[in-house]
Amino acid sequence: MTNFFCSKDCPDLCGVRVESAGGRHSFHGLPEKWSDPGFVCAKFRIFAEREINNGLKSWQLVDGAKRPLLSDAEAIEALAAFLAPFRDKKILYLRGSGSLAYNMACWDLLFAGFNNCWGVSGGPCDDTGCDADGADFGALINPEITNLEQADTIILYGKNARSTSQHLYAYLKTLKKQGKKIIYLDPVKTKTAGLADRYIMINPACDGLLACALLTGLGHENGHDIGPLLARAGVSQDDFEYLLACLQNGRTAHIKGVSIQRHGNGMNAYRWINRLAVKTGSMDLLYFGHPSKRRWEKPDAVFAGRIAVERLAEALAKGEFDLYVNVAANPAMTYPDSNRWQEGLSRTPTLVIDTNHCRTAEQADFFLKVGGMFAQSDFMGSYFFSHEYARDSLTSELSDVAAARMLADRLGLDLRLKEQARVGRIADVPQREYRTGALPLVMPETSDRFQLLTASHHGYINSQILAGMEQGLQVIHVNTVDAARLGISTGDDVRVSGPAGAFIAAALVTDGIAPNTVMCWKNIPMKEGVSNCAIPAQVTDSGSGLAYYTVFVDLHKV
Ligand SMILES: Nc1nc2c(c(=O)[nH]1)N[C@H]1C(S)=C(S)[C@@H](COP(=O)(O)OP(=O)(O)OC[C@H]3O[C@@H](n4cnc5c(=O)[nH]c(N)nc54)[C@H](O)[C@@H]3O)O[C@H]1N2
Ligand SMILES: Nc1nc2c(c(=O)[nH]1)N[C@H]1C(S)=C(S)[C@@H](COP(=O)(O)OP(=O)(O)OC[C@H]3O[C@@H](n4cnc5c(=O)[nH]c(N)nc54)[C@H](O)[C@@H]3O)O[C@H]1N2
Ligand code: SF4
Ligand SMILES: [Mo]
């Protein structure tokens, strides 16, 4: 029996008990205070299938053909020779969220040891929201999740827990049975709406407007006109009064989804929700996604410089770097402006270090296959809950850390990755202290085209799917009234054109999406292209996070 944990980009951070017999493993989730009995989600089986002895080998492109590298020693030897000429060259280094555990920093430390290696500033995930909480509270921290037991009402702002945090969802179900009211705000009527006492189909990027209207209604704010704010948000007077009554007649918890900060005004929206929680005495009932390794000292990888996240594809396409190093990331699928990424990857020599042959690897010059989380002893905390776990490796495949150490040896670099026991703990994470005076309200962009949302699907995480799983998911959700106006029916192939390019998906006509809004599942191959072909690389009002959802598209039947 081995103790393990799942280090995928998922807030739940399941602790796992593994029983192995005859080369087969069975996985059992450990219970938590808020999730007893424990369980692992159905995706875990997919991770095991993708990553344990999946038969992939490393390879190097030689004269346009892939030369397979059959053993780990051969792969490391060839990679050391591949990297040697780049010791003083300008390198761009990107690490993604394939595994979020601490020891993945081995690669940061290795490449920061090259003389002119650049890291990235900002990111695709939670940077905007973290900047918001940093500005308002001077701290990135969540209250204990069990504080929810003190609430009478729980508001979920675009937090599709049923799909993206199944342990939170299980806890919400228990809390509902105890009599808590649940309110769910989302332009899309997702599976989480089924749990809610009230589902409100808010327009995208309008959560801050609603929070401001509520603060005005409660007398905490003036200078704003409630009527136009509600009209822009698509929130009815009845829903507004229901929310007001909840806030006035009991304690209300606020759970901010990561999604709502992926808009041009995403930081502002987060800050208005923060303000609503603070002014109604609920700072201890306010939740978001915070950094998962904040309780450990950071490994000291110092890069020669940093390039802004929205410039990555452009910089590679313009030939600003001699080498691109891509670790546990799949930007050809997951980052905006996919067509530009294709250009950049074909122009710049590229090393991909991954457990799978992802879309980005298809254009690599060197592919190093590692064993993934099952081969890696590691530790981390959750980015939402308070728990943390450590694990030993489960398989003997080449781990990221073993590969980085072997390379460091071959290249004569000092890899200063500490054992877990020697990594300093940060004992006193600062507490929240609200420090914001007046807060301007940033109105969302408007357009007569359709706002494109790209949401998580319960069956896979980010771009990590099994081949073929995208069948049946290559759809674009269109509101019934919009579809009638455009003459589009369910099953029609539709070209979705945005500022950066286009993709093709099958229409799925539904009343379960706000008018003038369309939605497809994120980060999978579409019938033609991928959703990020349509999405330009642009940042939110924090300047640090990508504004994936402030994009307006045209729909044409093909
Ligand atoms: N199964 C699964 N789980 C995952 C992931 C996955 O890909 N699959 N990804 C993981 C990662 S990396 C992250 S960051 C988290 C993300 O998890 P969440 O924070 O739940 O974010 P999303 O799933 O992107 O979006 C959730 C919902 O927000 C809605 N939404 C979009 N814009 C707005 C808005 O302006 N206001 C409101 N109220 N709602 C809006 C979308 O329609 C969508 O239904 O999930 C993690 N968990
Ligand atoms: N349009 C649109 N795009 C989005 C989003 C959106 O909402 N809309 N969401 C964004 C968000 S929130 C995020 S977090 C990003 C995520 O984007 P990425 O960071 O690209 O995340 P993944 O798709 O999970 O890809 C990670 C890669 O890591 C590999 N991998 C897995 N485990 C390991 C390991 O242990 N070691 C190594 N070396 N590799 C491993 C996987 O095989 C996969 O190819 O996507 C963003 N992209
Ligand atoms: S993806 Fe999330 S819910 Fe599923 S096993 Fe991993 S940590 Fe648990
Ligand atoms: Mo994310």
Side-chain angles (χ1 to χ4, degrees):
M1 200 180 79
T2 315
N3 277 330
F4 191 77
F5 71 87
C6 175
S7 59
K8 293 294 169 183
D9 193 345
C10 170
D12 294 15
L13 187 85
C14 294
V16 187
R17 185 167 49 81
V18 189
E19 279 158 19
S20 308
R24 299 191 71 81
H25 308 289
S26 63
F27 305 102
H28 313 272
L30 303 181
E32 297 286 355
K33 287 191 292 263
W34 54 91
S35 178
D36 191 1
F39 61 93
V40 290
C41 75
K43 296 188 292 296
F44 198 83
R45 202 177 29 81
I46 296 173
F47 303 144
E49 194 177 327
R50 287 186 97 213
E51 290 170 26
I52 299 181
N53 295 318
N54 64 6
L56 263 183
K57 294 286 174 210
S58 302
W59 51 259
Q60 179 172 17
L61 209 59
V62 179
D63 299 328
K66 285 180 190 166
R67 182 170 75 91
L69 299 159
L70 297 177
S71 71
D72 293 341
E74 195 189 347
I76 295 295
E77 195 59 34
L79 182 52
F82 174 83
L83 287 172
F86 294 103
R87 201 55 180 262
D88 296 313
K89 292 283 171 63
K90 194 169 179 192
I91 301 173
L92 170 58
Y93 169 80
L94 173 72
R95 180 154 68 85
S97 56
S99 162
L100 289 184
Y102 188 94
N103 285 337
M104 288 300 288
C106 60
W107 294 115
D108 308 6
L109 291 162
L110 180 80
F111 285 101
F114 282 63
N115 294 327
N116 193 13
C117 182
W118 289 54
V120 178
S121 62
C125 184
D126 58 359
D127 293 72
T128 301
C130 287
D131 283 355
D133 269 45
D136 283 340
F137 300 124
L140 302 180
I141 189 171
N142 263 354
E144 271 298 328
I145 196 69
T146 47
N147 282 14
L148 287 177
E149 283 161 34
Q150 299 160 24
D152 301 292
T153 304
I154 301 167
I155 307 182
L156 305 171
Y157 301 85
K159 179 86 192 173
N160 180 10
R162 174 74 183 81
S163 298
T164 63
S165 186
Q166 295 185 21
H167 294 74
L168 174 62
Y169 187 79
Y171 189 38
L172 290 171
K173 271 200 334 210
T174 308
L175 292 166
K176 181 169 165 146
K177 280 196 199 119
Q178 291 170 6
K180 319 279 178 211
K181 258 190 297 211
I182 295 178
I183 303 174
Y184 179 58
L185 304 168
D186 195 316
V188 180
K189 194 171 183 184
T190 68
K191 293 184 175 206
T192 301
L195 182 68
D197 295 273
R198 188 164 291 215
Y199 161 65
I200 301 175
M201 190 180 268
I202 191 169
N203 285 330
C206 291
D207 304 75
L209 275 52
L210 176 60
C212 176
L214 289 166
L215 280 162
T216 306
L218 292 165
H220 293 299
E221 208 66 40
N222 45 48
H224 301 279
D225 220 347
I226 293 175
L229 291 178
L230 296 183
R232 176 65 186 85
V235 174
S236 68
Q237 189 64 29
D238 183 54
D239 285 338
F240 179 66
E241 278 161 21
Y242 180 83
L243 285 163
L244 269 186
C246 291
L247 289 160
Q248 279 164 330
N249 302 324
R251 299 208 66 205
T252 300
H254 305 263
I255 305 184
K256 294 175 284 177
V258 188
S259 52
I260 62 170
Q261 44 105 62
R262 295 194 194 106
H263 291 281
N265 65 346
M267 179 172 176
N268 191 250
Y270 254 46
R271 297 189 71 180
W272 275 99
I273 296 167
N274 290 348
R275 194 172 186 82
L276 179 61
V278 169
K279 302 282 176 183
T280 54
S282 292
M283 194 160 76
D284 59 338
L285 291 171
L286 169 69
Y287 300 87
F288 79 125
H290 55 64
S292 57
K293 292 167 287 287
R294 70 200 191 288
R295 286 196 170 270
W296 289 278
E297 78 185 13
K298 284 196 167 55
D300 57 347
V302 182
F303 291 96
R306 296 242 173 214
I307 167 164
V309 65
E310 72 278 18
R311 282 213 63 244
L312 299 180
E314 183 196 2
L316 294 176
K318 286 185 172 163
E320 291 175 25
F321 289 90
D322 301 307
L323 175 70
Y324 170 54
V325 176
N326 179 95
V327 178
N330 187 13
M333 184 63 85
T334 57
Y335 279 50
D337 206 351
S338 312
N339 295 332
R340 205 83 200 270
W341 270 98
Q342 298 293 332
E343 262 179 66
L345 293 169
S346 48
R347 165 125 194 214
T348 309
T350 294
L351 162 64
V352 169
I353 301 170
D354 204 299
T355 74
N356 297 288
H357 214 260
C358 62
R359 175 66 64 97
T360 308
E362 286 168 18
Q363 278 181 273
D365 295 82
F366 200 111
F367 173 68
L368 179 70
K369 155 75 171 81
V370 287
M373 70 173 173
F374 296 98
Q376 178 76 65
S377 63
D378 223 321
F379 59 100
M380 69 182 278
S382 159
Y383 62 77
F384 187 80
F385 300 98
S386 57
H387 63 306
E388 48 192 57
Y389 284 113
R391 68 174 180 233
D392 288 324
S393 57
L394 193 63
T395 69
S396 57
E397 293 185 78
L398 180 70
S399 70
D400 285 275
V401 169
R405 286 202 195 284
M406 286 162 80
L407 269 170
D409 270 0
R410 272 297 281 100
L411 293 165
L413 290 165
D414 182 19
L415 190 77
R416 279 170 305 183
L417 183 72
K418 291 182 186 159
E419 299 289 321
Q420 185 190 348
R422 301 188 50 212
V423 177
R425 291 277 296 179
I426 296 164
D428 295 318
V429 177
Q431 295 304 301
R432 282 175 176 161
E433 201 182 307
Y434 193 62
R435 43 168 77 172
T436 300
L439 185 64
L441 182 66
V442 181
M443 296 301 284
E445 226 177 279
T446 38
S447 164
D448 51 10
R449 306 205 293 167
F450 295 92
Q451 183 152 12
L452 172 65
L453 304 179
T454 40
S456 307
H457 186 270
H458 64 268
Y460 63 92
I461 209 152
N462 296 337
S463 70
Q464 301 185 43
I465 55 168
L466 293 171
M469 257 179 65
E470 70 278 13
Q471 298 302 326
L473 302 184
Q474 297 160 312
V475 289
I476 179 110
H477 297 69
V478 187
N479 175 277
T480 311
V481 173
D482 295 331
R485 181 161 51 83
L486 297 171
I488 290 174
S489 312
T490 292
D492 288 347
D493 279 352
V494 172
R495 177 180 296 280
V496 182
S497 314
F503 65 94
I504 294 179
L508 198 166
V509 177
T510 168
D511 290 328
I513 186 163
N516 308 313
T517 305
V518 292
M519 185 278 275
C520 60
W521 306 117
K522 73 179 181 183
N523 305 157
I524 51 170
M526 285 294 166
K527 293 187 129 185
E528 207 178 289
V530 305
S531 56
N532 278 322
C533 289
I535 302 177
Q538 56 186 9
V539 282
T540 66
D541 51 343
S542 73
S544 58
L546 292 170
Y548 284 101
Y549 303 167
T550 299
V551 54
F552 298 92
V553 296
D554 287 319
L555 305 182
H556 294 288
K557 209 156 108 174
V558 291

